Amino acid sequence: MTTTGEVHLDHVTGLTSAQVAERVARGEVNEIAERTSRSVGEIVRANVLTRFNAILGALFVLVLATGSWADGLFGIILVVNSAIGIVQEYLAKRKLDRLALLHAPTTRVVRDGQTRDVPTSEVVLDDLIELRAGDEVPADGVLLTSEGLELGEANLTGESDPVHHPAGDEILSGTSVVAGSGRYHARAIGSDAYVNRIAAEARRFTRTYSEIQASINTLLRYITWVIVIALPLQIWSQWRIVGDQGWEAVVLRSAAGVVGLVPEGLVLLTSVAFLLAAVQLTRDQVLVQQLPAVEGLARVDVVCLDKTGTLTVGEIAFEAARPVRDADADEIRCALGALADDPNANGTLAAVGAALASPGWRRTAVVPFNSERKWSAACFEEHETWILGAPEVLLADEDPLRDDVAELASRGRRIVLLARSRRLLDEPVLPDDLTPAALVTLTEQIRPDARDTLAYFDEQGVEIKIISGDNPQTVAAVAREVGLDPKDPVDARTLPDDPEVLREVLARSTVFGRVSPEQKRSFVHALQADGHVVAMTGDGVNDALALKDADIGVAMGNGAQATKAVAELVLLDGRFAHLPKVIAEGRRVIGNVERVANLFVAKNAMSLLAIIAAALAALPFPFLPRHLTLVSTLTIGIPAFFLALGPNKRRYLPGFLGRILRFAVPAGAIAGLAVIASYVLSGRRYGVPPEEFAARCEIAQPGDVGIDLACIQPSTGATITLLVVFFSILVVLARPFRWWKAGLIGAMALLALLAFVLPVGHEFFAFDAPWALVWPSLGIGLVGAVAIEALHRWAVPRAKS
């Protein structure tokens, strides 16, 4: 039961510790269903229970049934792959979960008469919750008090305008506080809370699009269909060719072909690359809330950012109050101090309050700041009504003070206007007797790394759009200080709602001031309609919906909980300068996964062509499973693991899947043709025409004596050729070379050589490699290597680093 039936609750001191303990014991806590990562059971299932593991597992059992343990080596590799995937994801999960817990959302509650912050998941039924601007409403309830409380309910209703809620109103979880404050008792929590009952519709959660994951999934779908078609063909052809030697021969030759079709480590390496990138970014104070966001930011070509907190430190300081219209300077300072004496003061009032003391005036009414109307106000006993807000909103169109505002703004100052009225404000509507009293100037400190960060984006071809609620001239002045050309600053209040016009303005302008929260969303939609991949940064609750609609939402660590909840990335220390590191990690993931995917798909294409050629030419499949295990391990598996985690600075290029297919499929075809040529040529060395290979070929076991060389040597020659061609594929994909890459490839080549020259190696793999066989096989392999080099130069586009 998680809805209250208790009537006598203390509206001032809240629950006692004993009452909280009772509710926890009854399970009446605000359990959060959403998790930051998969459970251990899900990790194990995801790494073990896959369609390809099922195929390889079945083949492993059949191969073991033949008694050929050496040919079951791929089963051990399968187990090791799954174990590595489980361990890597579990370790990453622990680190990311600890970090997510450290930065988990909190809720302000009153218990034992004390206000404290507790994790939102520890809110209990009947808790007295205190709401302030920027908070998310964690549970349903009825307001006991309301000081101008306005909630953003767009997540629930789609309505973008904040809704005012007086005392006595019912409020629902899933909304967020835009302005004001209030208190209420949690009446429905956990699964009974409104937001959890309609979670799918309310939060409209969407997973970040990942071109890599979408491409890999498409690739796996293709490969699955290839296996479905190739498996019966392989079994039929091998039964027809070596069936008279017993079912064991059919199983071994068939298994070898199918094993070659399975990209056993591709999904593992893709997942590990994402996970380790996310873990690496935590060291740079970046929390990745959705793993594909690492890749997503590397694809971004437009970054929308706010001035405050991004280009500037975010902490504004009061500079001066300049009286106008003969206003009294002392009264102005008192009025500013009284307005700033507010527990829910926004950034401007907080800066004023840090410089000016409160005169102790008593408030009778409050209109909290709202980014839509861009002003706040308070009525005081015996001291009239005072309003503080944007000069563009409070001043008449022809007021000469506008020239003074423009001059101050051009020097990079933030300006707000202090005005007065004799009327009491019962609702958030400007009085008609508004009288300007002072121009208040505030200063901001430019972040020392802002210039370098923007220069980096410019070098990378990423457009910057500064979208701010401040005066356009003020924003433009800051832009100039960080080396950005503001072009013609735009006052967003003059922009039409027409999406086509908005697209044109966004294409030619860089700086936008006086932008409303709904306009931020419109900007994102307009840029996306123009084909851009958009990142949006923000920290205020009003930024939440724009961040959610952007391709990548980036929240500041000191931002509102509602904003951090919808962002894909959270900059824990609020430093925008971390984004180049995120882009670098994304590029590394994209470039490296593309490299290893090429290796796996080339092997799949080679196996498919070999299966088809063997069926058409009535040949045994050229390899035993152990041969392909050797080739896959030394030219794909081990190198791919290191290449997937190594540095890669290549810029993002669209067309991930197309590039893989354009190179890997022809490369695999070249390898397949070279293998068939080598196999046939090696067999003819003994005067055995291809159609008689089957009759001379028996099952080769380690240590067997008297195995027909017409069977062993063609497979040996084909393996040598395949190793040469696949090492050439590895070499071209590993470029540009570094010492560790050269060492890696050299070590793999040495291991391959030892498999042929050491007695234990050639016995285990059933190799027989006289020089008369080695030279032709190497020659065919080198021809294939030259073809691979030519293919790479044609098929792989060059990208700047």
Side-chain angles (χ1 to χ4, degrees), residues 266-540:
L266 179 57
V267 176
L268 164 68
L269 289 175
T270 303
S271 301
V272 168
F274 273 120
L275 283 166
L276 294 188
V279 171
Q280 175 63 35
L281 287 172
T282 62
R283 298 170 188 161
D284 293 316
Q285 294 297 298
V286 178
L287 175 61
V288 180
Q289 302 201 116
Q290 289 193 44
L291 291 180
V294 175
E295 168 211 342
L297 195 59
R299 295 188 291 109
V300 162
D301 59 0
V302 175
V303 176
C304 300
L305 51 90
D306 196 353
K307 169 180 65 68
T308 306
T310 304
L311 300 181
T312 63
V313 173
E315 297 178 358
I316 55 176
F318 172 80
E319 183 182 55
R322 308 181 184 201
V324 297
R325 313 278 164 86
D326 299 323
D328 181 71
D330 290 335
E331 185 180 24
I332 286 170
R333 294 177 72 86
C334 287
L336 287 171
L339 286 171
D341 186 14
D342 183 347
N344 297 303
N346 61 11
T348 300
L349 286 176
V352 171
L356 302 177
S358 170
W361 294 358
R362 184 181 174 191
R363 294 168 181 249
T364 57
V366 174
V367 177
F369 178 79
N370 176 284
S371 58
E372 284 285 349
R373 55 178 174 263
K374 301 187 185 302
W375 58 270
S376 62
C379 304
F380 300 98
E381 282 187 359
E382 302 178 3
H383 296 286
E384 303 181 325
T385 296
W386 293 85
I387 300 98
L388 189 69
E392 295 88 344
V393 175
L394 302 183
L395 291 174
D397 291 342
E398 304 302 324
D399 197 309
L401 281 177
R402 285 182 174 269
D403 295 333
D404 296 337
V405 170
E407 193 274 329
L408 289 168
S410 67
R411 288 190 273 147
R413 298 295 187 268
R414 289 185 65 178
I415 306 101
V416 289
L417 178 72
L418 178 68
R420 66 196 306 169
S421 169
R422 295 182 180 278
R423 297 181 181 274
L424 292 176
L425 299 184
D426 297 325
E427 53 185 16
V429 177
L430 285 174
D432 53 14
D433 65 338
L434 205 62
T435 304
L439 289 176
V440 181
T441 57
L442 304 106
T443 60
E444 293 183 273
Q445 180 183 349
I446 302 294
R447 285 189 180 273
D449 48 20
R451 178 181 287 270
D452 291 341
T453 303
L454 293 182
Y456 171 84
F457 280 117
D458 183 58
E459 291 170 5
Q460 304 303 313
V462 178
E463 292 183 49
I464 296 293
K465 304 293 181 186
I466 302 181
I467 299 175
S468 175
D470 290 341
N471 182 292
Q473 297 302 325
T474 303
V475 183
V478 172
R480 291 188 193 96
E481 285 192 53
V482 295
L484 195 67
D485 180 8
K487 300 178 183 177
D488 294 322
V490 176
D491 188 328
R493 293 171 304 166
T494 65
L495 292 176
D497 294 331
D498 187 344
E500 291 302 319
V501 176
L502 192 57
R503 288 167 64 178
E504 293 175 9
V505 175
L506 283 164
R508 66 172 182 264
S509 302
T510 301
V511 170
F512 301 84
R514 299 305 182 200
V515 182
S516 70
E518 186 57 35
Q519 281 180 313
K520 288 187 178 182
R521 296 183 74 189
S522 300
F523 283 15
V524 169
H525 297 160
L527 289 166
Q528 289 171 332
D530 254 354
H532 293 292
V533 180
V534 183
M536 170 70 76
T537 68
D539 55 4

Side-chain angles (χ1 to χ4, degrees), residues 714-736:
S715 290
T716 303
T719 304
I720 292 172
T721 298
L722 185 59
L723 281 167
V724 172
V725 176
F726 263 85
F727 270 120
S728 71
I729 295 174
L730 179 59
V731 166
V732 298
L733 292 176
R735 294 171 185 162

Side-chain angles (χ1 to χ4, degrees), residues 289 303-311 447 465 467-468 520 524 535-548 550 552-576 579:
Q289 302 201 116
V303 176
C304 300
L305 51 90
D306 196 353
K307 169 180 65 68
T308 306
T310 304
L311 300 181
R447 285 189 180 273
K465 304 293 181 186
I467 299 175
S468 175
K520 288 187 178 182
V524 169
M536 170 70 76
T537 68
D539 55 4
V541 66
N542 291 300
D543 297 327
L545 293 176
L547 262 66
K548 189 170 196 174
I552 299 293
V554 182
M556 301 301 166
N558 58 352
Q561 291 178 11
T563 305
K564 290 189 287 186
V566 301
E568 285 81 16
L569 300 172
V570 180
L571 305 180
L572 299 176
D573 59 2
R575 290 183 58 205
F576 177 63
L579 286 187

Side-chain angles (χ1 to χ4, degrees), residues 112 248 423 433 464 522 541 592 644 651 661 677 699:
D112 296 317
E248 294 91 343
R423 297 181 181 274
D433 65 338
I464 296 293
S522 300
V541 66
N592 289 343
R651 288 190 184 183
L661 296 178
I699 302 173

Side-chain angles (χ1 to χ4, degrees), residues 508-712:
R508 66 172 182 264
S509 302
T510 301
V511 170
F512 301 84
R514 299 305 182 200
V515 182
S516 70
E518 186 57 35
Q519 281 180 313
K520 288 187 178 182
R521 296 183 74 189
S522 300
F523 283 15
V524 169
H525 297 160
L527 289 166
Q528 289 171 332
D530 254 354
H532 293 292
V533 180
V534 183
M536 170 70 76
T537 68
D539 55 4
V541 66
N542 291 300
D543 297 327
L545 293 176
L547 262 66
K548 189 170 196 174
D549 289 351
D551 296 284
I552 299 293
V554 182
M556 301 301 166
N558 58 352
Q561 291 178 11
T563 305
K564 290 189 287 186
V566 301
E568 285 81 16
L569 300 172
V570 180
L571 305 180
L572 299 176
D573 59 2
R575 290 183 58 205
F576 177 63
H578 290 314
L579 286 187
K581 296 178 182 177
V582 181
I583 290 177
E585 279 297 309
R587 288 179 173 175
R588 188 180 67 79
V589 169
I590 293 173
N592 289 343
V593 170
E594 184 173 331
R595 278 177 174 166
V596 301
N598 273 302
L599 289 170
F600 284 104
V601 176
K603 183 193 73 167
N604 303 149
M606 180 280 300
S607 293
L608 178 61
L609 189 140
I611 287 172
I612 295 172
L616 293 176
L619 293 172
F621 189 74
F623 307 105
L624 292 171
R626 69 189 84 171
H627 300 150
L628 283 184
T629 299
L630 174 70
V631 175
S632 296
T633 301
L634 298 183
T635 65
I636 302 174
I638 296 175
F641 183 80
F642 288 98
L643 290 177
L645 305 180
N648 191 326
K649 296 182 180 179
R650 193 188 77 173
R651 288 190 184 183
Y652 166 75
L653 293 171
F656 178 87
L657 181 58
R659 283 195 305 277
I660 291 174
L661 296 178
R662 191 163 58 247
F663 173 77
V665 172
I670 290 170
L673 291 173
V675 161
I676 294 300
S678 179
Y679 189 68
V680 171
L681 183 63
S682 300
R684 288 190 183 278
R685 177 172 178 269
Y686 295 93
V688 181
E691 61 270 15
E692 295 182 19
F693 280 8
R696 301 284 297 275
C697 195
E698 299 177 2
I699 302 173
Q701 298 292 340
D704 279 356
V705 179
I707 300 175
D708 196 327
L709 293 180
C711 176
I712 295 179

